Amino acid sequence: MKRIGMLTSGGDCQALNAAMRGVAKCLFNSGENVEMYGFLEGYRGLIYGNFRMLTGRDFSGVLTKGGTILGSSRTPFKTIKDPDENGLDKVEAMKQNYYKLRLDCLVILGGNGTHKTANLLRSEGLNVVTLPKTIDNDLWGTDMTFGFQSAVNIATDAIDCIHTTAASHGRVFIVEVMGHKVGYLTLNAGIAGGADIILIPEIPYDIKKVIDKIEERNRNGSMFTILAVAEGAISKEDAKLSKKEYKEKMKNYKFPSVSYEIAQQIQEKSGHEVRVTVPGHTQRGGSPCPYDRVFASRLGSEAGKMILNGEYGFMVGYKNREIVKVPLEEVAGKLKMVAPDARIVKEAKLLGICFGD
Ligand code: F6P
């Protein structure tokens, strides 16, 4: 008999349901007697004992469904050890709910913050297996996260659509891409969408270099320019500031996001007409792409196998084209970022893409 709890935490993404279905199918098909409980709205469900029993029927038809059938929430790790507004010890409450249901294992699907809490629960003695989700692909210990490829498709579509209108009007267009503090999504969507300039947090930009590239294109007869700008892109001057100085500066920041600041600078310094498009949360929505369906199903079934073998304390990751077990303590608290000298960056530069550096 195996009793499993499952939850999805943090920002949602495509293929969460596909991954859970992978776990469930593997376990329900194993011949082992399995009981599965889904905690609702992430760690909140585990803290407050809000759960429902899951059967095979819950996973029928969800392979292609975006979002998460369990709901999700952000439960910041920073405050996880603080009591809630009624004085409840949240960590203790999660442990108690785990023990009350006599769980053998918790399956936790999430990104960076989620993994810190998952690792904390592991260190508190709970059996935990995690699955790497996020459109940002910024999770340490895995080359790929599910949700990422689907988001690349959506961001690429956005750039494709902008291309035709930018060309018709001879305008400069900025497409702002999600990714939090890392540039994987922008880099991949930017290359796939044929962006002329890609700005990512890992490579601080010089606005003069950006404008030079636009002018160079104009001289060569291309009257429009497409910039793929990561929401976390940062200028060379700002990158030099200490954390404290940057925080102070941002208090009086008057732009909705960095793309609008860049747009104003280009407009003022070069006279070019600039438009900004922000696809925003559309990048996290809709059906998972086929890659993510396959990838999440594989990770899910491997997680199921690990549970059947009693192997706990791992994230199921993907390294060098192999599915691997990564100890949770190695994953928690680390960010995977684009190396400024990565092959993909060098190759993009060979294509003539400007990074503003
Ligand atoms: O981590 C996924 C992500 O979509 C980031 O790319 C983005 O910065 C953030 O979540 C947005 O968070 P929220 O959905 O809470 O606005």
Side-chain angles (χ1 to χ4, degrees), residues 10-13 74 111-112 133-138 177-182 185 231-232 280-281 283-284:
D12 73 340
C13 71
R74 292 203 187 271
N112 273 309
K133 72 93 231 205
T134 166
I135 65 164
D136 304 337
N137 194 28
D138 60 351
V177 180
M178 272 190 172
H180 200 219
K181 291 180 181 160
V182 306
L185 190 50
E231 61 180 353
H281 287 76
Q283 292 162 97
R284 261 174 36 194

Side-chain angles (χ1 to χ4, degrees), residues 134-150:
T134 166
I135 65 164
D136 304 337
N137 194 28
D138 60 351
L139 204 51
W140 185 266
T142 184
D143 294 342
M144 184 63 69
T145 57
F146 57 83
F148 175 68
Q149 294 292 347
S150 302

Side-chain angles (χ1 to χ4, degrees), residues 77 80-81 89-96 98-99 106 116-128 328:
F77 178 73
I80 201 74
K81 290 183 186 160
D89 180 331
K90 290 178 283 203
V91 177
E92 201 44 43
M94 288 194 275
K95 286 164 66 179
Q96 286 315 315
Y98 177 97
Y99 292 127
L106 261 179
K116 289 188 202 163
T117 302
N119 187 44
L120 172 70
L121 294 176
R122 178 204 59 79
S123 70
E124 291 283 326
L126 307 193
N127 292 331
V128 178
L328 278 179

